[in-house]
Amino acid sequence: MAHYLVTGGAGFIGSNFVHQLVRETDHSVTVLDKLTYAGNRASLDGLPAERVELVVGDICDAALVDKLTADADVVVHFAAESHNDNSLNDPSPFIDTNLVGTFTLLEAARKHDKRYHHISTDEVYGDLELDDPERFHETTPYNPSSPYSSTKAGSDLLVRAWVRSFGVKATISNCSNNYGPRQHVEKFIPRQITNLIDGVHPKLYGAGLNVRDWIHVDDHNSAVRRIIEAGTIGETYLIGADGEKNNKEVVELILRLMGESPDAYEHVNDRPGHDLRYAIDSTKLRTELGWQPQYRDFESGLAATIDWYRANEDWWRPMKEATEAKYAKTGQ
Ligand code: NAD
Ligand code: TDX
């Protein structure tokens, strides 16, 4: 039985990680989360108080991070500013949280000699052409496009340097696009589901031909747990579930699953610098660590996600209006 410090545990992927850890292990957890616009206390509802504690605070607060790291066996770092569109409107919190925050955690992990796992994204590799037979793998050169992905790339490089220079016991994972319950309504899939619940047409950026490689959040988190258990210190593992789809296909599927005509969407302004395609080759994780995704059918995973948003309007309703007001300013 171990004690985990989970940063960003009130966000989308972090909260699902804490739920999975409580469901499937005896570990206890301290969540460190600033509860920014993206963090939600309600995402931790239903978890046993004797096993999960929420500390509201900033990962850039060195004294707090030092104290919580000293008390933990394992640090899992999910906290980030995570939305590309926000990073294009105001990059500054991305620099603080993604770079300075990661530096602060690494210094604490180094001082207290703690196992550290760093959560990152496939966006650090830039994008691929639609017809490129290549996919991203662990040695693909970094080539990030947005303020978001460049700060994530920078944070990964800090981790690699702290492993090599100071012997920090770290691993890194770079995952593709996640879907599932408790994702903020600013993100593509929940935005379209909640728009449709409100009688608003889904919004496709540009022509909608950009490709994302979808993975269920529980599969991302089972892979993270496997890497923490069995991964080699200093190594990077790519996490993906062979889920490539273009945005138009995803919107058409959401419309069909929600009983609407599959062409009932609108085209809106494209994202500046919009990455064309992401695709992950997760052979290393599968062959070296024996991991497999459980959600092999995107349609049924998406249907369950739609059901979750229908059943949990109390969770998402408070963030919907402000999110759409932000998009209205950029014509998206
Ligand atoms: P999210 O925006 O839903 O959650 C981020 C959480 O971090 C929030 O709870 C927020 O309050 C917290 N946070 C932000 N700044 C903080 C700070 N300074 N101190 C403490 N807490 C802070 O993000 P997510 O989608 O769950 O992403 C989690 C991680 O996974 C990120 O590192 C992201 O880069 C990575 N990732 C996400 C995806 C995806 O598809 N969403 C894919 C690959 C990797
Ligand atoms: O309304 C929309 N319409 C639309 O066409 C929105 C919000 C998005 N899009 C497009 C842009 C992307 O091509 O959908 C795709 C997915 O968009 P996002 O949900 O914003 O995700 P993306 O930019 O691909 O980044 C996500 O995956 C990698 C996460 O937000 C990142 O945190 C993660 O690192």
Side-chain angles (χ1 to χ4, degrees), residues 11-13 33-34 36 39 58-59 78 82 97 120 148 152 178:
F12 165 46
I13 307 174
D33 198 296
K34 193 177 171 181
T36 67
D58 194 326
I59 55 166
F78 289 92
S82 69
T97 290
S120 192
Y148 163 68
K152 291 298 293 186
N178 286 216

Side-chain angles (χ1 to χ4, degrees), residues 227-287:
I227 295 164
I228 292 168
E229 280 163 19
T232 303
I233 299 302
E235 290 291 308
T236 289
Y237 298 88
L238 262 56
I239 306 174
D242 302 327
E244 279 188 73
K245 297 227 171 321
N246 76 34
N247 295 337
K248 188 162 154 295
E249 291 171 311
V250 174
V251 156
E252 287 167 350
L253 186 54
I254 294 171
L255 281 160
R256 190 159 60 71
L257 290 170
M258 294 183 74
E260 305 281 338
S261 164
D263 60 0
Y265 55 80
E266 283 171 19
H267 292 282
V268 295
N269 287 341
D270 206 350
R271 172 184 288 170
H274 195 173
D275 280 340
L276 190 51
R277 171 174 164 240
Y278 306 138
I280 289 267
D281 177 349
S282 59
T283 304
K284 176 177 174 181
L285 174 67
R286 292 175 194 232
T287 54

Side-chain angles (χ1 to χ4, degrees), residues 71 85-86 168 190 192 227 318-319:
D71 292 343
D85 292 317
N86 291 341
V168 169
Q192 316 313 337
I227 295 164
M319 32 181 126

Side-chain angles (χ1 to χ4, degrees), residues 288-301:
E288 290 185 14
L289 304 186
W291 173 85
Q292 292 289 335
Q294 298 303 311
Y295 288 78
R296 289 161 189 281
D297 177 20
F298 182 65
E299 180 165 338
S300 60

Side-chain angles (χ1 to χ4, degrees), residues 13 80-85 120-124 146 148-149 152 175-178 183-192 195 202-206 208-214 247-248 251 266 268-271 274-276 278 324 327 332:
I13 307 174
E81 284 293 335
S82 69
H83 194 38
N84 276 299
D85 292 317
S120 192
T121 169
D122 57 0
E123 296 192 21
V124 299
S146 72
Y148 163 68
S149 53
K152 291 298 293 186
C175 187
S176 59
N177 284 61
N178 286 216
Q183 185 170 29
H184 195 281
V185 296
E186 71 191 354
K187 302 296 191 323
F188 179 52
I189 287 179
R191 184 181 186 208
Q192 316 313 337
N195 273 354
K203 319 272 189 195
L204 267 183
Y205 291 178
L209 299 180
N210 304 63
V211 170
R212 296 294 182 265
D213 190 353
W214 293 99
N247 295 337
K248 188 162 154 295
V251 156
E266 283 171 19
V268 295
N269 287 341
D270 206 350
R271 172 184 288 170
H274 195 173
D275 280 340
L276 190 51
Y278 306 138
E324 289 305 318
Y327 280 126
Q332 291 175 312

